[in-house]
Amino acid sequence: MSLKDQVQSCLGPLVVAVSECQGDLSVEVSRENIKAALSKLKEDPGLSFDFLSDLFGVDNSELYKKTAAKPAKKAEAETAPEEPPKPQEFPPRFEVIYLLLSLKTNKRLQVKVRVPEENPVVDSVVSLFKAATWPEREAYDMYGIRFNGHPDLRRLLMWEGFPAYPLRKDYPLEGRGEERHLIYD
Amino acid sequence: MGLKAYTGEGWLLTKMEELINWGRKRSPWPLPYGTACCGIEMMCALAASYDMARFGAERPSFSPRQADVLIEAGTISKKMAPILRRIYDQMAEPKWVIAMGACACTGGVFRTYSTLQGINRVIPVDVYVPGCPPRPESLLYALMKVMEKIEKDHPLRALFDREIGQVDLRSCP
Ligand code: SF4
């Protein structure tokens, strides 16, 4: 039984999509089910994905913009546009990706959830993997994705009170002139 | 007499200043503040092969209270900037600062939201050392430049400014 089948039979209806890229298996689950899915993968005796090697956020907004711009150009080049291009439906802006490793079988798995911009909240997996504490804080710091049930959700890299989420693609690389000030207490 | 000394003409006091400067010049104890890759090069300058102690930088002082020259080697993030300022404030007068490396001088390659674009935004700098990283010789050269600067200093004049400048000299007999 391949890893793909194993994962699919373990997660059952929780799986939204499965893809494989150069031998790396990636499973998408819905946002509500992430904790259930990870605990199933961890508990399953055959899979036992018991090691969280990383967790991070992704901002896909620029990617979606590019894919939206492409077909419009093509249509212009070939024929005169007959109808105005209808607005495309895109998946939610953010993703949170969990990289799992099984210490027993030495297999790796990527689990993905999509997070909408309006309500960027995901359940925290700290109760399953303690290693998720800092990566979740980092994702919160850089993308503004909040993790429900995280014991200590503070910024990790930027200072307290930093007014933006710097890895969002609409944030300029050089910043907006934020400075941290010296306060003697 | 006092006035003459104050304006820098008093022979005794200028000689006294020279003596003080000579003493200060020969023992600029560094405070190594290595925050990135430049710090490694600074360690090299302090260690046996380049041996900064030859020039009186005898003891790298890890307490700001006993240091004279702050060698800021490396990138300073904006989060770190207040800490650097506090360390500088804790150093006792007289104090000098060497900004070592492109990062400390201007932010270097890190022109981003998180990096301080030059430490002179938070503390005054005496000598800038360009390079990414500068060679240990450059740091030694910067130390010599600090020494030159110490030589031209007027420590007593500053003292007079502080102590006697407040007193109304006309009221003295
Ligand atoms: S100037 Fe270059 S070597 Fe020095 S801290 Fe910056 S990046 Fe590193």
Side-chain angles (χ1 to χ4, degrees):
Chain A
M1 204 149 95
S2 72
L3 182 66
K4 192 172 168 181
D5 299 333
Q6 252 177 312
V7 168
Q8 251 165 346
S9 71
C10 167
L11 291 180
L14 298 184
V15 179
V16 174
V18 187
S19 64
E20 207 160 357
C21 176
Q22 304 199 338
D24 289 335
L25 190 65
S26 166
V27 183
E28 187 184 332
V29 301
S30 77
R31 184 155 62 115
E32 295 74 40
N33 296 333
I34 179 61
K35 220 167 149 183
L38 287 194
S39 85
K40 269 191 180 177
L41 289 170
K42 188 181 177 186
E43 244 78 294
D44 189 281
L47 292 167
S48 92
F49 282 109
D50 48 4
F51 186 88
L52 181 80
S53 44
D54 203 359
L55 180 168
F56 48 88
V58 178
D59 179 359
N60 279 324
S61 58
E62 289 294 309
L63 184 74
Y64 296 153
K65 250 186 238 166
K66 263 186 209 160
T67 47
K70 254 186 199 162
K73 245 190 208 166
K74 220 177 176 184
E76 250 178 23
E78 281 167 6
T79 52
E82 285 146 18
E83 53 185 273
K86 51 187 175 203
Q88 271 171 294
E89 275 292 309
F90 286 115
R93 176 175 173 183
F94 298 112
E95 286 170 5
V96 178
I97 292 177
Y98 303 78
L99 301 183
L100 298 176
L101 168 69
S102 164
L103 294 177
K104 200 163 114 194
T105 60
N106 201 20
K107 294 261 168 59
R108 284 173 195 276
L109 176 69
Q110 188 178 329
V111 182
K112 182 156 76 175
V113 291
R114 293 187 189 272
V115 185
E117 190 179 356
E118 311 79 58
N119 181 25
V121 182
V122 193
D123 281 339
S124 168
V125 295
V126 172
S127 50
L128 290 173
F129 299 102
K130 252 201 167 153
T133 319
W134 278 28
E136 283 186 356
R137 279 177 65 187
E138 190 195 9
Y140 163 68
D141 188 0
M142 292 289 139
Y143 296 96
I145 298 165
R146 286 191 301 284
F147 292 87
N148 236 347
H150 190 286
D152 180 28
L153 196 63
R154 283 177 296 136
R155 283 181 178 274
L156 180 65
L157 297 167
M158 305 312 287
W159 59 94
E160 262 333 283
F162 185 77
Y165 300 113
L167 280 195
R168 289 192 175 184
K169 295 296 175 201
D170 47 13
Y171 183 82
L173 174 64
E174 285 174 32
R176 300 198 182 107
E178 297 91 350
E179 297 287 349
R180 190 181 181 207
H181 297 290
L182 177 66
I183 300 162
Y184 278 121
D185 31 48
Chain B
M1 176 68 197
L3 258 178
K4 269 192 175 172
Y6 177 63
T7 50
E9 288 163 19
W11 183 86
L12 197 67
L13 280 159
T14 46
K15 285 296 156 197
M16 190 69 191
E17 277 191 333
E18 263 175 43
L19 182 70
I20 292 173
N21 284 345
W22 176 78
R24 282 183 176 174
K25 193 177 101 182
R26 299 297 170 185
S27 63
W29 283 0
L31 167 60
Y33 196 100
T35 45
C37 11
C38 271
I40 304 294
E41 216 70 1
M42 177 188 62
M43 288 170 214
C44 179
L46 290 168
S49 43
Y50 287 90
D51 195 14
M52 213 149 115
R54 286 179 293 161
F55 307 103
E58 183 62 49
R59 165 177 156 277
S61 168
F62 288 92
S63 148
R65 316 263 181 207
Q66 283 112 38
D68 304 302
V69 182
L70 173 65
I71 304 179
E72 207 300 296
T75 325
I76 292 289
S77 64
K78 284 184 181 168
K79 194 175 181 182
M80 181 69 124
I83 295 150
L84 175 65
R85 174 78 220 187
R86 185 170 296 196
I87 295 267
Y88 178 79
D89 286 347
Q90 283 175 348
M91 285 171 68
E93 292 278 355
K95 52 192 173 187
W96 294 271
V97 177
I98 297 176
M100 181 183 181
C103 285
C105 296
T106 64
V109 289
F110 305 107
R111 198 162 171 194
T112 60
Y113 58 90
S114 57
T115 308
L116 191 69
Q117 302 295 302
I119 60 165
N120 54 11
R121 296 196 169 200
V122 287
I123 58 174
V125 177
D126 293 289
V127 182
Y128 296 86
V129 191
C132 181
R135 285 194 56 90
E137 290 95 324
S138 321
L139 187 59
L140 296 182
Y141 184 69
L143 190 72
M144 312 298 249
K145 284 283 164 199
V146 169
M147 287 178 175
E148 276 174 30
K149 195 162 179 174
I150 296 173
E151 229 168 15
K152 291 181 200 138
D153 202 8
H154 294 283
L156 290 181
R157 203 181 279 183
L159 191 75
F160 268 84
D161 274 341
R162 245 197 336 271
E163 305 290 330
I164 300 179
Q166 322 292 345
V167 182
D168 189 359
L169 286 169
R170 277 167 305 182
S171 65
C172 296

